[in-house]
Amino acid sequence: MRSNLGLIGVLRGPAVAVVSVLALATPAVAVPAAPTAAGAPEIHPVPQQLSMGGEPVPLTGRVTLVVGEATDAAAIAAVEDVLAGAGARTTVSTTSAHRGKEVYLGTVTDNPALGEVLAALDVEDASGLPGDGYVMATGRYEDRPVVVLNGADADGTFYAAQTLRQVIDGRLVPGVQVRDWPLMSIRGAIEGFYGIPWSHQARLDHMEFYGEHKMNTYIYTPKDDQLLRKKWRELYDGEDLDRMQELVDAANANHVDFTFALSPGNDICYSSDEDFAATTAKFDQLRKLGVKSFYVALDDIPLRFSCDADREKYPNEGDWHWLADAQVDYLNRIQTEYVEPNGLTALQTVPTNYAGSGEDPYKARFGERLDDDVRVQWTGEGVFSDKITVESVKRASTSYRTDHLYIWDNFPVNDGRRSRLFLNPLTGRAPELYKYIDGITSNPMIQPYASLPALGNYADYTWNGPAYDPSRSMAAVLEELAGEDPGVRSALDAFADLNQSWPYRAEVVHAPALSDDVAGFWRGYESGEPATAPLRERLARIAALPETLAGMAEPGFYTDARPWIDAAAQWATALGHEIDMLEAIHEGDGSAATDALFAAREWISRTKEPTIDDQGGDGVLHRDVLVPSVGDGVFEAFSERALARYAEWLGAEDAGPVERYPATATSSMGTYQDNTTAKMVDGDPDTLYWSNEAGRAGDWVQVDLGAVKEVGSVAVHQSDSDTESGDMFYTAVLQHSVDGTTWTDAGTFSSSPVAAYTFDSPVQARYVRLKATADNSGGQWVKVREFVVSPSSGKYLSNLASVPGEGPARAFDGDVATAYTAGSGPVEGSFLARRLEDPRTVGSVAVVGTGSGSIQIEQDGAWVTVGALEAGRRYHEATVEGGAVSGVRLVFAAGSAAPRISEVVLRGPS
């Protein structure tokens, strides 16, 4: 869901009259304190009432399942499955066998015998509970052990069966009494993200998960489903229609309300009879499949009409009533002419202005004229809401003039940060929200199975918010996904820890367990007493994730998360080598330290490979286009610190702040809010230019230096950080020009947050631009934090051409992570050199990199050989004796392999 903050900003004009506070929903029954019975089994969602009592019931041997003629078939199947797993030989009957163990299932209406059993057990039946409620009890009836699963309705009966599945301990049902009901009537998910829609099998599996976790709602509205948005007037047919039927059937079997949500707002003519007929025809096709709940999504649409008829009927008088009136007339017509005559659940919608609780003309007009029965979705104070409070919900209910507000919660959705997974628990939702809203649907991630942990949290929170414990809820669902193997569970915990940094929280958490071990390592290292064991053990566990997590009970999670799992393992292996490097430094072994450094850099390079698939609004799938980001920045921070320690030991000179030319920035794309192009060249990396549209082939961002100047290097910092892909150009070329008409290509970049290029020899240019050579695969917009164009220092020289963008200056920049890389093998006389501004006394020359030849210094105007570069070695050091040094150079052996030099350092006297 892209933000409509532009609209919200416009709408927040003069305050409009505020209507009286609406009567808000209250629970049907008082909510007791969370259960605290000693020795009680852990049940999720946490029941409203739970006590230990009654007689435990073993389920081995013969068991009679006593049901009514109308007892829910799905509940019967669920109980049969549980009994089979416990080793029972089950007979299903509508009458008691009057012997042996018995399980009673159903409502008191469809299975009257159940009420008699509960009365004998002195347990109140479920008939007085709210919808979806149930009672579970064990004991003895007529001197035989019984389990009673009594629903207030068919849904409650099904949920009682799910509780039985959780409480059973091996083959024994403990002596327990549960009286339970949900506090929110809407509990589920809305598949409402941009990106690759979920697979059919994933949706089927989600229906089963929702049923097991007592979630009752699934809203089908993936943004990039062509038949929902771009081609919304077209009907389903063939395999698409067959799959839809299977999905609706699966939802019904798991007591999930399947809601079909159409998104016509991009091109609808609200006043058109033809478009109304197209809407109802689409709905009618789904109604014939068994769908009883419909939704019109009006989010993320153009703020203009698509037809003259609407412009004439709803003239724009500057108060946004024109848009609200057109939308409400359309929605009300659906409710009164289609939904009500067909006996369907009330229509649902998300308005165009879907965030913020304050008053504005659009919300007021929309709510005042909307049919009172229509349910309205809202995302909180922002598109992504760190916290949702009771006060905020009350204000929103008033500003939207609705008794039926419920929340479209944009967590853990990752369509705006597709390189990320979010496995942190749901937090920040007030426990008492159930008193004021109808419910919540989570907008999950593009990865369906990786979304299950958060959805398990929503199941627990929406059922019983006051008893919701984020940590316990997350632990329970991770255990379910991992399975019984403690090694797999430990590995899954370690992986989840690496994906905790949800960027929309006020207090962002960064891989807390890994961070603790890293902090412990550095405390020991800096004190001179390295304590590497805890960190090495964690890194070993992470490095083994690809093998260990292959044994998960939920294989879909492993498949979804595989790019991040692999990247985590690569980072862990890299950090292991960096620990080796730091230990070698501690011991003064330069060769071992440098070998470990290069081993680490090789593994880190693998983490930068794009391995995530993506898709845009055109429906075209693109393979391996995004680079996974894992570890919440902790891996990168450790590596940067380790590199800094190596550079400090080496004596590498900090290149200092980058000199940059003043420039004026422009873009071929529009601007989102106040994120103007000037912010690309303001010297502040915390500000940025942000386009208001997707990057497409031919789009560009550009700087004008004001005159033709000598350019030595360029760095375009895209996305939200130098290490994480997001909104940016994914396939681009760097170009320069003296006149803005004729352009020369420099480097090309793919999935690179930083487009950095160092010229072998300075070029003359007034204009420099980064130009997209392909459409962004997932429709991402473009962010540029800084566009830096720098002159050449003239101090770094080579007559051996480099790989484009990896020129001589990179061997002297103080950064061992960069390198001068020759584009070919050397010939006679090939060299790499640095001239010093002021001669200095030098104790030795250290060279980090690969190549063959000699190390030379300039003294008194003459070049003197002081050491050799040996093939196969990565660290070389040559002693310098006597006299000041005014330059250093490497002379490469003709015919040897192309050199790659990370750093040449003039070390001080010992």
Side-chain angles (χ1 to χ4, degrees):
M1 177 179 278
R2 280 287 186 189
S3 168
N4 271 315
L5 294 179
L7 168 62
I8 293 168
V10 172
L11 292 178
R12 286 175 178 164
V16 297
V18 181
V19 299
S20 60
V21 177
L22 299 170
L24 298 171
T26 55
V29 268
V31 182
T36 56
E42 186 165 333
I43 301 172
H44 291 275
V46 175
Q48 307 299 335
Q49 297 175 352
L50 169 64
S51 62
M52 301 306 292
E55 181 175 316
V57 178
L59 294 180
T60 53
R62 300 176 65 87
V63 175
T64 302
L65 175 56
V66 183
V67 302
E69 295 286 353
T71 297
D72 178 66
I76 294 173
V79 173
E80 285 187 290
D81 184 62
V82 172
L83 295 176
R89 299 191 303 277
T90 305
T91 300
V92 180
S93 175
T94 57
T95 60
S96 169
H98 298 290
R99 60 184 173 82
K101 298 175 284 288
E102 293 184 329
V103 177
Y104 287 78
L105 176 70
T107 67
V108 293
T109 300
D110 64 51
N111 189 1
L114 175 151
E116 298 174 7
V117 177
L118 285 175
L121 297 177
D122 198 25
V123 174
E124 184 179 359
D125 67 49
S127 58
L129 292 180
D132 296 1
Y134 67 93
V135 168
M136 176 181 178
T138 63
R140 295 191 74 81
Y141 174 64
E142 296 180 349
D143 202 34
R144 57 184 181 273
V146 295
V147 177
V148 183
L149 304 171
N150 171 211
D153 50 23
D155 292 337
T157 301
F158 181 75
Y159 295 147
Q162 303 311 318
T163 295
L164 175 66
R165 178 177 55 83
Q166 291 193 61
V167 302
I168 193 167
D169 183 7
R171 301 187 174 191
L172 182 72
V173 179
V176 66
Q177 292 185 6
V178 179
R179 188 171 182 84
D180 197 14
W181 63 92
L183 299 183
M184 290 188 185
S185 59
I186 298 175
R187 312 176 302 277
I190 178 166
E191 187 183 341
F193 50 79
Y194 295 88
I196 303 172
W198 289 348
S199 70
H200 180 59
Q201 185 59 53
R203 292 181 181 127
L204 295 175
D205 291 342
H206 266 247
M207 296 307 101
E208 184 175 348
F209 182 89
Y210 298 170
E212 291 177 351
H213 288 257
K214 305 186 177 88
M215 301 169 77
N216 67 353
T217 300
Y218 167 72
I219 303 174
Y220 178 84
T221 185
K223 287 290 193 297
D224 292 332
D225 182 321
Q226 301 289 294
L227 294 180
L228 286 178
R229 199 171 177 91
K230 189 173 183 179
K231 301 176 182 178
W232 66 271
R233 297 175 181 86
E234 298 181 17
L235 298 178
Y236 291 94
D237 61 12
E239 292 184 357
D240 287 337
L241 192 61
D242 293 341
R243 282 191 290 267
M244 194 65 74
Q245 178 70 76
E246 187 178 4
L247 183 58
V248 172
D249 291 344
N252 291 336
N254 286 281
H255 289 260
V256 176
D257 295 330
F258 181 98
T259 298
F260 181 79
L262 204 60
S263 296
N266 283 330
D267 63 0
I268 190 174
C269 186
Y270 294 103
S271 59
S272 163
D273 288 339
E274 289 79 9
D275 275 357
F276 176 77
T279 303
T280 56
K282 194 70 167 276
F283 285 172
D284 220 41
Q285 186 183 40
L286 275 295
R287 184 170 66 90
K288 292 175 181 176
L289 301 182
V291 177
K292 299 176 182 178
S293 179
F294 294 95
Y295 186 122
V296 174
L298 298 171
D299 57 322
D300 302 354
I301 62 174
L303 302 180
R304 54 173 171 73
F305 284 141
S306 300
C307 64
D308 290 336
D310 282 351
R311 283 185 280 271
E312 293 173 6
K313 185 173 182 178
Y314 307 103
N316 185 350
E317 298 178 353
D319 56 7
W320 292 99
H321 290 178
W322 55 276
L323 181 61
D325 285 343
Q327 292 176 341
V328 167
D329 285 349
Y330 169 67
L331 295 171
N332 286 348
R333 189 177 179 189
I334 296 172
Q335 174 67 18
T336 58
E337 296 183 28
Y338 183 78
V339 170
E340 292 175 2
N342 287 297
L344 303 171
T345 302
L347 183 67
Q348 302 169 56
T349 189
V350 58
T352 306
N353 185 1
Y354 50 71
S357 64
E359 289 281 342
D360 65 48
Y362 171 88
K363 290 179 186 174
R365 185 73 163 198
F366 187 90
E368 287 164 0
R369 296 195 59 242
L370 187 66
D371 187 294
D372 288 342
D373 290 333
V374 177
R375 287 172 167 164
V376 177
Q377 278 213 290
W378 170 74
T379 63
E381 292 295 351
V383 178
F384 304 92
S385 294
D386 175 24
K387 299 182 185 301
I388 301 179
T389 66
V390 166
E391 293 74 17
S392 179
V393 166
K394 287 181 177 179
R395 283 194 303 269
S397 295
T398 299
S399 65
Y400 285 103
R401 315 296 198 259
T402 182
D403 291 337
H404 295 293
L405 186 74
Y406 77 110
I407 295 173
W408 173 322
D409 206 348
N410 276 317
F411 175 79
V413 65
N414 64 344
D415 57 359
R417 294 174 181 262
R418 303 185 189 197
S419 64
R420 291 291 316 280
L421 292 182
F422 298 122
L423 300 178
N424 51 290
L426 173 70
T427 58
R429 277 66 184 138
E432 307 298 321
L433 288 187
Y434 70 91
K435 296 179 180 179
Y436 307 99
I437 58 174
D438 287 357
I440 299 178
T441 55
S442 160
N443 190 13
M445 292 186 285
I446 296 168
Q447 294 73 28
Y449 298 95
S451 299
L452 293 178
L455 291 175
N457 292 169
Y458 277 101
D460 291 352
Y461 171 77
T462 55
W463 185 275
N464 189 355
Y468 172 67
D469 181 320
S471 297
R472 289 183 64 183
S473 176
M474 181 59 75
V477 71
L478 289 180
E479 183 173 3
E480 176 184 343
L481 298 175
E484 297 180 358
D485 186 327
V488 175
R489 172 60 200 277
S490 176
L492 185 55
D493 284 345
F495 179 68
D497 177 69
L498 303 177
N499 298 278
Q500 297 292 301
S501 177
W502 192 54
Y504 310 106
R505 284 187 292 192
E507 297 180 2
V508 181
V509 177
H510 297 276
L514 174 62
S515 293
D516 285 348
D517 287 342
V518 165
F521 168 83
W522 284 116
R523 282 193 301 270
Y525 190 83
E526 301 295 354
S527 69
E529 298 180 1
T532 65
L535 181 56
R536 281 196 182 274
E537 289 171 5
R538 179 167 296 277
L539 293 176
R541 190 179 314 136
I542 295 170
L545 288 177
E547 294 75 32
T548 310
L549 291 183
M552 288 181 64
E554 177 46 79
F557 183 100
Y558 178 75
T559 301
D560 271 0
R562 187 63 192 268
W564 291 268
I565 290 170
D566 287 346
Q570 291 159 357
W571 270 114
T573 304
L575 263 61
H577 287 298
E578 288 181 331
I579 293 173
D580 293 341
M581 176 191 78
L582 291 166
E583 290 179 335
I585 290 172
H586 190 74
E587 295 167 3
D589 189 338
S591 292
T594 304
D595 286 343
L597 165 70
F598 273 80
R601 300 314 301 176
E602 180 181 348
W603 281 100
I604 290 173
S605 70
R606 299 184 191 184
T607 71
K608 302 182 186 303
E609 296 175 2
T611 56
I612 305 170
D613 300 338
D614 202 12
Q615 175 180 313
D618 57 4
V620 177
L621 180 65
H622 301 269
R623 297 290 188 186
D624 298 332
V625 292
L626 303 179
V627 178
S629 176
V630 66
D632 295 347
V634 177
F635 289 133
E636 290 90 341
F638 183 95
S639 185
E640 289 174 8
R641 188 169 177 178
L643 280 174
R645 289 306 303 263
Y646 179 90
E648 179 184 356
W649 164 80
L650 184 66
E653 299 176 40
D654 188 343
V658 176
E659 183 181 354
R660 64 188 297 168
Y661 288 122
T664 302
T666 55
S667 174
S668 64
M669 299 169 289
T671 300
Y672 179 58
Q673 294 190 322
D674 63 348
N675 300 290
T676 62
T677 55
K679 294 182 177 180
M680 286 192 277
V681 291
D682 64 358
D684 184 355
D686 293 328
T687 66
L688 52 82
Y689 161 70
W690 196 358
S691 72
N692 65 353
E693 56 191 308
R696 302 191 181 281
D699 284 338
W700 45 263
V701 289
Q702 176 178 306
V703 294
D704 176 1
L705 305 181
V708 175
K709 297 182 178 181
E710 186 178 87
V711 175
S713 64
V714 179
V716 185
H717 300 267
Q718 304 186 92
S719 189
D720 290 296
S721 76
D722 286 351
T723 59
E724 182 178 332
S725 58
D727 281 356
M728 57 184 239
F729 287 134
Y730 279 81
T731 307
V733 59
L734 190 70
Q735 299 178 318
H736 56 89
S737 172
V738 295
D739 58 9
T741 301
T742 302
W743 294 89
T744 300
D745 291 350
T748 58
F749 303 89
S750 177
S751 300
S752 301
V754 181
Y757 194 90
T758 302
F759 293 95
D760 273 350
S761 301
V763 297
Q764 299 295 309
R766 172 174 174 172
Y767 304 95
V768 182
R769 71 182 183 185
L770 186 66
K771 179 181 177 182
T773 54
D775 293 353
N776 279 351
S777 61
Q780 290 94 340
W781 295 359
V782 176
K783 291 179 180 177
V784 177
R785 288 172 288 117
E786 287 296 301
F787 196 135
V788 181
V789 179
S790 301
S792 171
S793 68
K795 296 185 293 184
Y796 314 116
L797 307 170
S798 179
N799 59 359
L800 179 59
S802 70
V803 169
E806 300 185 23
R810 290 162 64 99
F812 305 95
D813 62 2
D815 183 358
V816 293
T818 66
Y820 157 76
T821 306
S824 62
V827 297
E828 189 69 30
S830 294
F831 69 87
L832 169 69
R834 174 190 177 187
R835 296 279 188 180
L836 301 183
E837 294 180 359
D838 299 303
R840 70 173 75 164
T841 302
V842 174
S844 65
V845 177
V847 180
V848 177
T850 57
S852 297
S854 60
I855 304 170
Q856 298 183 340
I857 58 169
E858 186 179 35
Q859 289 180 323
D860 300 325
W863 288 103
V864 179
T865 297
V866 293
L869 297 176
E870 298 179 18
R873 293 184 59 194
R874 294 187 173 94
Y875 179 76
H876 311 78
E877 186 168 9
T879 301
V880 177
E881 297 179 355
V885 171
S886 56
V888 60
R889 75 178 181 184
L890 308 180
V891 179
F892 301 116
S896 62
R900 187 175 192 275
I901 306 300
S902 296
E903 205 68 24
V904 179
V905 179
L906 298 174
R907 309 182 83 176
S910 58

